[in-house]
Amino acid sequence: MNFKSIYKEHMSRIFEDQQHSIEKTIAYVIKHEMQLPNELALARRHLTEREKNELLIDISLPF
């Protein structure tokens, strides 16, 4: 899997767990940064802010 796929998969799960709330998803990731899976942490480091933003938009606005 590439970094974009890893990031999108993990963030989609967190988004669903946080009742499809972008605000709660971001807060969760910040609060639990040290407990996130290693592959997600690695993907976060390798993706640009623009790439992460585009993936988050895709997750939150799937249509």
Side-chain angles (χ1 to χ4, degrees):
M1 255 202 241
N2 63 38
F3 291 126
K4 285 185 178 183
S5 298
I6 292 168
Y7 185 84
K8 187 171 182 179
E9 180 182 323
H10 284 283
M11 293 303 288
S12 292
R13 282 193 209 134
I14 295 169
F15 183 67
E16 288 180 23
D17 291 345
Q18 298 302 315
Q19 296 84 40
H20 296 240
S21 168
I22 297 168
E23 184 177 33
K24 288 180 183 179
T25 299
I26 293 168
Y28 178 90
V29 170
I30 290 168
K31 185 175 181 180
H32 296 92
E33 186 171 13
M34 299 306 292
Q35 291 84 29
L36 296 175
N38 289 338
E39 64 180 3
L40 176 57
L42 186 62
R44 289 180 71 212
R45 283 195 300 269
H46 280 84
L47 295 173
T48 65
E49 294 302 316
R50 181 182 199 105
E51 289 171 322
K52 290 184 274 189
N53 288 339
E54 288 172 354
L55 291 167
L56 290 172
I57 289 169
D58 190 43
I59 291 166
S60 63
L61 301 173
F63 304 108

